[in-house]
Amino acid sequence: MSTSTTRSAPTAPDDTPAAPGTPRAPGDAVPLLSVRDLSVRFRRRDGAHIAAVSEVSLTLRPGECLALVGESGCGKSVLASALLGLLPANAETRGSALLDGGLDLLTAGERTLSRTVRGRRVGLVPQSPAAHLTPVRTVRSQLAETVRELVGPPRADLATATVAAAERAAFPADHLDRYPHELSGGLAQRAATALALVGEAPLLIADEPTTGLDRELAERTVDELRGHTDAGRGLLIITHDLAAAERVADRIAVMYAGRVVELADAGPFFGTPGPRHPYAAGLLDALPERAFTAIPGMPPELGDLPTGCAFAVRCRYATDRCAEPPAPRDGLACHHPLTGGETRE
């Protein structure tokens, strides 16, 4: 697995909040994002509920990249949608998500989110970029509008600034006059990334930003996203691409069945002693460059979760204790944590 040296976000005792919408110096004590006990439930027509996200707590500090990883359907993208107020009408949320120590994203109204948060204080690289691009407008038109609204260059410089914004995400200038339906999946991803980077938002959420990209371009993309953390900005990257996560993340949050089951520094997680949760270890062991061994079984349905540990039916270490839900402690929710010496094959 190819890697580059990741940068730790230093800490300092300064707890003075920055002005809204501006990046803060790395080391500020007040997190850019503080999520506490966030839960998301979807009401079904039959009255039942689907527990998509359950009691998630995490923080993102200035100058830091946090990677949220896990199998499809574990709740990663739902969490991102909750932070930006993009959930459907049948969603119910609990908990809090404080932006820069002040605004609660879960209770903020649509007017506030649309006018002062999205694109300005929180940028988004969406999971389905084609669905977020306006189908009847060219990429150039959409990118120019975003540059004009968020950057405000002189009219004479707008065309040049638009091309520069495209180049930042490796979007080819000779494709700027194409419509979204004329783009490949990879080009649509690059267009969405370019749009998200324009505003230099203090917090950037990138949801599967390497989808449809070859390895070289994926590495270039995550390196550009990692550069967003300069000057005290923060990056929350949601990804299946563990190579990308290892390349740029300072910390790793592992989600399973709607819960964060492990939160760890990236270096020890990918290196020694390795993951502490058996599920997290299984994710790494499934990589071709590692054991190339799949995790047995399938994730549980979020509408029919067990009362105890949701991973127990797939876990070789499960015992009767796992009939009770493990309480999160020191960044881990597991009754049988690994110590680094176990044979996992």
Side-chain angles (χ1 to χ4, degrees):
M1 182 181 294
S2 61
T3 64
S4 64
T5 303
T6 58
R7 297 169 290 172
S8 297
T11 59
D14 182 11
D15 59 358
T16 304
T22 59
R24 294 186 280 110
D28 280 358
V30 177
L32 283 174
L33 178 67
S34 179
V35 177
R36 288 291 174 266
D37 298 322
L38 172 58
S39 295
V40 179
R41 301 287 186 271
F42 293 109
R43 298 186 309 276
R44 299 194 316 200
R45 291 186 177 182
D46 61 4
H49 287 76
I50 297 174
V53 177
S54 298
E55 300 177 341
V56 167
S57 295
L58 52 83
T59 59
L60 181 65
R61 299 186 293 268
E64 181 182 45
C65 173
L66 173 65
L68 188 61
V69 303
E71 292 169 295
S72 295
C74 70
K76 305 186 302 296
S77 295
V78 172
L79 187 151
S81 295
L83 296 178
L84 285 166
L86 298 176
L87 294 171
N90 67 327
E92 300 173 351
T93 61
R94 295 198 308 270
S96 64
L98 299 184
L99 181 62
D100 213 17
L103 179 68
D104 189 342
L105 295 172
L106 301 187
T107 59
E110 175 59 26
R111 183 183 179 90
T112 297
L113 292 171
S114 61
R115 294 195 174 190
T116 67
V117 175
R118 299 186 195 119
R120 290 175 171 81
R121 298 180 67 182
V122 183
L124 173 67
V125 180
Q127 183 179 28
S128 303
H132 284 73
L133 297 172
T134 304
V136 296
R137 298 178 60 191
T138 65
V139 175
R140 186 189 302 274
S141 172
Q142 297 179 61
L143 194 53
E145 179 185 43
T146 304
V147 171
R148 182 174 61 249
E149 291 295 322
L150 299 183
V151 181
R155 182 182 295 272
D157 297 335
L158 180 59
T160 300
T162 299
V163 173
E167 290 177 349
R168 185 175 178 186
F171 189 91
D174 58 359
H175 285 56
L176 279 170
D177 293 314
R178 295 191 178 187
Y179 291 89
H181 72 272
E182 298 176 308
L183 304 178
S184 66
L187 281 175
Q189 186 69 57
R190 282 182 265 174
T193 301
L195 288 165
L197 290 172
V198 167
E200 298 287 2
L203 171 61
L204 181 63
I205 300 174
D207 193 355
E208 301 293 353
T210 60
T211 298
L213 305 182
D214 61 37
R215 178 47 50 191
E216 180 179 355
L217 191 54
E219 291 179 353
R220 175 175 173 176
T221 297
V222 295
D223 287 347
E224 183 65 48
L225 294 173
R226 173 73 221 207
H228 185 79
T229 62
D230 294 342
R233 300 181 182 91
L235 172 63
L236 174 60
I237 183 170
I238 298 169
T239 184
H240 293 93
D241 188 344
L242 293 176
E246 181 178 9
R247 185 176 180 88
V248 300
D250 297 301
R251 291 188 299 141
I252 305 294
V254 182
M255 282 193 77
Y256 185 77
R259 296 181 181 273
V260 171
V261 296
E262 181 168 359
L263 186 61
D265 290 337
F269 182 87
F270 288 107
T272 302
R276 294 178 293 159
H277 197 285
Y279 171 66
L283 289 179
L284 292 190
D285 285 345
L287 296 173
E289 57 268 39
R290 299 215 180 194
F292 204 22
T293 302
I295 301 174
M298 296 292 292
E301 293 290 336
L302 295 179
D304 188 26
L305 291 172
T307 57
C309 174
F311 186 62
V313 295
R314 306 174 70 187
C315 181
R316 61 177 295 189
Y317 303 103
T319 65
D320 291 343
R321 283 186 67 193
C322 303
E324 297 294 328
R329 182 178 300 173
D330 297 327
L332 183 69
C334 183
H335 291 300
H336 305 289
L338 305 179
T339 61
E342 292 85 347
T343 301
R344 298 166 184 157
E345 292 79 358

